[in-house]
Amino acid sequence: MSWVGKSPRRKEDNRLVRGRGLFTDDDQTPGMLHMYVLRSPYAHANILSIDVSAAEAYPGVVCTLTGKEVAEQCDPYMQLAPGKAAGILDYSIAVDRARHQGEPVAAVFAETPAIAMDAGELIEVDYEMLDPVLSGEQGLEDKEIVHEAAGTNLVWQDVYEYGDVDKAFDEAAHIVKIDRLHFHRFSSTPLEGNACVAEWTRQGTIEFFCNNSFAGFAQQLLSPALRVGSEQIRIRTHDIGGSFGNKIWNYIYMTIAALGSRKAGGRKVKWSEIRNENLLASGHGNERTFLDTEVALDQDGVMTALRSRHIDDCGAYPRYEPLGCVIWSQVIPACYQLRNIRIDFSQAVTNKCPAVPNRGYSRMQHLWFMERVIDICGHELGIPADEIRLRNYIRDFPYETPNGCVYDSGNYPAMLEMAQELIGWDAWKAKQAEARDEGRLLGIGIGTTLDSGTNNFGQAQIINPHLPFSGNSEVCNIQLDLDGAVVVSLGTGPSGQGHETATSQVVADELGIEPDMVHVRTGFDGSWNAFVGHSGTYASQFAVTGLTAVHGACQKLKAQMRRLAAVLLEASEDELEFGVGDEGPELRVKGTDRAVNYWYLSNIVNSNNAVLSDDLGDVTLNVRNVYRPPFEVPDTERKFGNLTLTYASQLHIAVIEVDRQTGHAKILDYAAVDDCGKAINPQIVAGQVHGATGHGIGAAIMETFQYDEIGNLLTSTFSDYVPITALNMPDVKYGHIETPSPFSFNGAKGMGEGGGAPLHTVSAAMQDALFGEGIIIQDSHHSPPAVFEVMREGNREQVVTVENR
Amino acid sequence: MSTTEAIEPVDVAIGVNGERYKRAIEPRMLLVQFLREELKLTGTHIGCDTTYCGACTVLLNGKPVKSCTVLAVQADQAQVMTVEGLEQDGELHPLQAAFSEHHGLQCGYCTPGMLMSSFALLTANPKPKQKEIRNAIAGNLCRCTGYHNIFIAIDAAAKDMRGS
Amino acid sequence: MGIKFDGDFTVTSSPADTYAFLADPERFAPCLPTFKSIEVKGPKTALVKIGIGVGKIRGSAGITLELDDSGAPDCAAYDGKGSIMGGAFNFATSFKLEATGAGTVVHWEGDLSMFGKLVALAGGLIRPIAKKDINRLIAALEAELSPDLAEGAAG
């Protein structure tokens, strides 16, 4: 019996539906202190002075912390960018200048959260306001400098060029020029805010209980910043209330809490972010502007070349973001056969919230751009949306992209056909024609996208050849506990993706037992010795990186168990089989009742080992396995190499009606087809698709981080940011195909990010609805006021020109 | 800003999941803080600060309320039911079972609030239509599931509870 | 959120008297709407407390007022900044004086920027309130500088 491919009830649910999860804020150790973070109201201001005396005198306050103290006690966080941007000084608390609204400027540590907050308001900060930089384009002008230590706002710039772009333009039948496109700021805003409990013990170790979702990376950043050895830091997570990449960066607050704990004499310090703080300062998805795009096409509407200029606005501190300058190139041609590409890519700091990875990170922005490109070309050349995609899709796999990435498998035409069937394409086309006759604005849009998983960290060296990162890895530790229980520890620290369940399915299959007999530890714990520098949950890598580590650990454990059992049962290893007997999981001699159960095996090794012969001395029944995908360091000069192991794909179709009077976009029908290779747990896969679809639709229609002209975030509460609710979520018709990956042991591909498919799809449907009105969809956000505005003016003539030869 | 003078504690007696709890509390304490900090019932979560997300939903005298917007003193002498009160003798309530069966949760952070809003719905309306299900949880955000499986789970629990 | 205002008004005081009034924080500040107190820190600097309220959101704000007398005697200007409820505001205002008959025409400009929580929570309510408060300030200045006319003529 195989458990992989089935959907057993999730192990995680038993505690979560009972309200017995353990989220960070649920830690209520008596005597712990509470941290409040005072934040800059200004987007950009010099900090002339800070007076904490009134706060420190407030009853119940133990101590405070300012940026000046942080700068004395810490080293700045490691910078990923090369050149001048490497000079950026990034501390957990602003030292002498606040660079975005909501940036921490001081912290208070007190007996209760209320006292800490009350005292925080007594801190007097004298600011000198500076002009803010509020877009990537403005940043590149370098008129106002965000980081004087760098002397420029430019984080990184280079050209990605492949093929013979100019020749392809010379030979083109059509050239479509698009003036400007813009991918907006939003984030998936996990419902649980960032949180941590830190204890700088008197022994000099630092214990973190937190919800960081990339502990391997956090450890590497925290240790040098706090000037302690890596072994002094123990990071532990349990249940995490969603991350979507956002919780990768919260080591900032872990640092502040740890310093507060040390200053308070080693008392535990807890910090739980409130929503307003989360929206203001806890990381926004990155915002990208696409300028001067030119597309060459042949007479059939096949894209032959593309040239463009892309600018990332990474907010006030680059942190993880320089990697965003290369990660998009994992999907440089999107789903299309395009071979000649020149993209000038730059990234600038601004006085907005720092950008952080967010579901679909960096690839999503580029894939949205590519979908806008093909969609606009289709409309301008009069080729239907499905037809122009079919003419351009990649069809033969594995497929090497112009920059050396290898798309493992896929079948985009089959997904399109399935999605068209699900939504009733022809019927909607007929309804659309009727609606248009009545003057109604009905659009049908297609979005094809990729979710690349298990990335090669070597791509970081394309940004900065000196970065000590390449490849990828994940760990699994599997052991028979003293009573014979199968106990598995992972390095992934999941945040709702069901790793305990999926792991138990794989282990159950390998050992011939049931998932209920496999105990997968919850969360992450540095003391389990089950992590590497890549450990975490991000970039759609668990199904391959995580589960291959699990699979390999099972093989190693089984080999030890077989050797031991063969001796105990006086049989050869070939005669043994794994299974479940009357006394639980066992190894038995095939076709007989001679068996040893797991308790007996464990007992012989762990408690009763005088009987163990010397040649079994290396049998520990406690195995640590590291999986390393087969990557090489890319050619950093040519920006060429395999950047990702697997490419899941999604194809969505939306039908949207736009209200002429208000600009409101209503989704009338929606279909989503997913291909993530072999599905380990189809129910979890479908759940991820629905969830990613919700995020994308919310982002396309409702959610945006909107700044005013002086750097105030206007959408800093949920009431303004308006995450998608049960009332706004359309019914989704879900379909699934499987093109197994040839590069993973199980045919699976990483998945879960969804590639931003709804953003591409909603934009395409809006385009289809409004093209006849002389409108080009330039932005990924479609709020009624913005749509209304563009409908009033029209923009096609300003935005697009077509040369036909 | 609050004053530095000592604030007089207020005596309250609040019934929670069938037990009566007497406490002297700060008047500004929210019901959600009372549940989480005084009673250590951490199943009820906090997800926002503007009463938008519903992670903190509990029943107050049978009606769903967002416990981040109710002062604990307002619940004096009242009966509160939280997610911890759903299971009976270790047996999952049909809603809890259905959420698990139909994958109506991923990270589980919104789940307690979702369950309590759903419980209130099914208590008042054992046979809800799709639209009524959507309305009942309109004030409960879920960032993981896209709601799809939650609708299915609530519908399945309703059928289960009706015995059909 | 940034708001710009400008306008002019005529008073019966002479330019010299008008300048003397406007350039004296102790006389100027009490004309600010909801003025509560003033503490003079130096010849050109004063700490002023005012009440601030948008709907049910109420509090008091401290303003650091700095006189810019570089344009004397034809122009008095102030830079101010203050904080409220985790937010902050900055303003710059100038009064250019022009003699007319027995009195003075005052050409004024104001530039107010608001930051933080108050903007997030009160949003669109702020603009009309700020406009009303500016009108009240101008009306108060007019009344003070035209003692021979009835009070509260403007506003």
Side-chain angles (χ1 to χ4, degrees), chain A residues 625-751:
Chain A
N625 182 55
V626 179
Y627 167 65
R628 297 184 189 91
F631 283 131
E632 292 171 9
V633 176
D635 177 339
T636 57
E637 281 296 307
R638 289 168 59 212
K639 300 181 180 57
F640 187 94
N642 194 12
L643 307 184
T644 327
L645 195 66
T646 62
Y647 286 84
S649 49
Q650 290 78 29
L651 195 144
H652 291 200
I653 298 180
V655 182
I656 287 181
E657 178 157 6
V658 182
D659 187 319
R660 266 184 201 280
Q661 307 296 318
T662 63
H664 176 72
K666 184 174 165 59
I667 296 178
L668 304 180
D669 205 353
Y670 201 95
V673 174
D674 180 71
D675 173 11
C676 63
K678 172 73 183 166
I680 307 296
N681 183 317
Q683 193 181 44
I684 290 179
V685 164
Q688 290 291 322
V689 172
H690 283 291
T693 303
H695 275 170
I697 291 174
I701 293 185
M702 301 172 72
E703 306 170 28
T704 179
F705 288 121
Q706 191 187 341
Y707 281 90
D708 73 5
E709 74 289 354
I710 52 175
N712 278 301
L713 179 64
L714 299 176
T715 51
S716 65
T717 71
F718 264 172
S719 305
D720 304 300
Y721 184 75
V722 288
I724 190 164
T725 72
L727 297 180
N728 317 107
M729 184 67 198
D731 283 326
V732 173
K733 294 168 176 163
Y734 170 70
H736 179 73
I737 70 165
E738 280 191 6
T739 62
S741 174
F743 303 149
S744 61
F745 84 93
N746 50 11
K749 306 179 184 195
M751 61 89 59

Side-chain angles (χ1 to χ4, degrees), chain A residues 144-186:
Chain A
E144 297 292 329
I145 299 294
V146 177
H147 291 276
E148 288 188 321
T152 173
N153 296 323
L154 180 70
V155 175
W156 192 84
Q157 184 276 330
D158 212 339
V159 177
Y160 291 77
E161 181 159 0
Y162 308 96
D164 193 338
V165 176
D166 295 332
K167 180 162 168 268
F169 271 93
D170 288 344
E171 294 170 357
H174 311 280
I175 296 174
V176 176
K177 297 181 180 178
I178 307 166
D179 176 49
R180 185 177 196 272
L181 297 166
H182 174 250
F183 191 91
H184 76 293
R185 265 182 181 241
F186 61 90

